Amino acid sequence: MADQARARRIAERTKQLVTQGLAQVVKDERVGFITITDVRVTGDLQQASVFYTVLGDDADREVAAEILEAYRGRLRSFVGKGLGIRLTPTLEFILDALPEDAQHMDDLLRQVAARDAELAAGRRASEYAGEADPYRKPRTEEDETGAPGA
């Protein structure tokens, strides 16, 4: 079993090589804007999970998945030549859901901010149900006689 530092270095280098391979090896005009976001290599350096995102709609994502699947062997060969290690890890391409999750969180935060603004506006327009200062105060001479200083 390899140490974790070596696995991280190989994962980072694999990420760079897959990105280069997309530009050099993949010769498909249908390929869109594919971004490699992360690569994770197993501890035994046998498998690499490559996470990617695609700029576009669901049809673009499906086309990108087909292209990556079709060029998996060529990309693995390209990565193997660039890594220079005895065993080249197998590549598994996984669509990264991070951008969609981030968009969903942004939408939720906008809704919360709008609701907070509504509540703040309601607070500014509201008045106390009773007196402005509902707390008891110690009695003074004015309270006893009704006139100041008498």
Side-chain angles (χ1 to χ4, degrees), residues 65-98:
E66 292 171 5
I67 291 171
L68 289 173
E69 191 63 34
Y71 283 90
R72 179 193 308 221
R74 293 182 191 147
L75 286 171
R76 182 175 181 221
S77 175
F78 185 82
V79 168
K81 290 175 186 173
L83 284 177
I85 58 176
R86 186 170 63 93
L87 296 172
T88 303
T90 58
L91 301 178
E92 176 187 13
F93 293 100
I94 301 169
L95 182 62
D96 195 356
L98 184 66

Side-chain angles (χ1 to χ4, degrees), residues 15-37:
K15 179 179 175 182
Q16 294 170 355
L17 289 169
V18 169
T19 303
Q20 289 175 1
L22 286 174
Q24 295 176 9
V25 175
V26 177
K27 303 293 184 192
D28 195 328
E29 64 276 353
R30 297 177 302 155
V31 71
F33 295 104
I34 299 175
T35 303
I36 305 299
T37 56

Side-chain angles (χ1 to χ4, degrees), residues 111-124:
Q111 290 174 3
V112 168
R115 182 69 179 137
D116 284 348
E118 288 177 19
L119 291 174
R123 269 194 308 271
R124 283 192 294 272

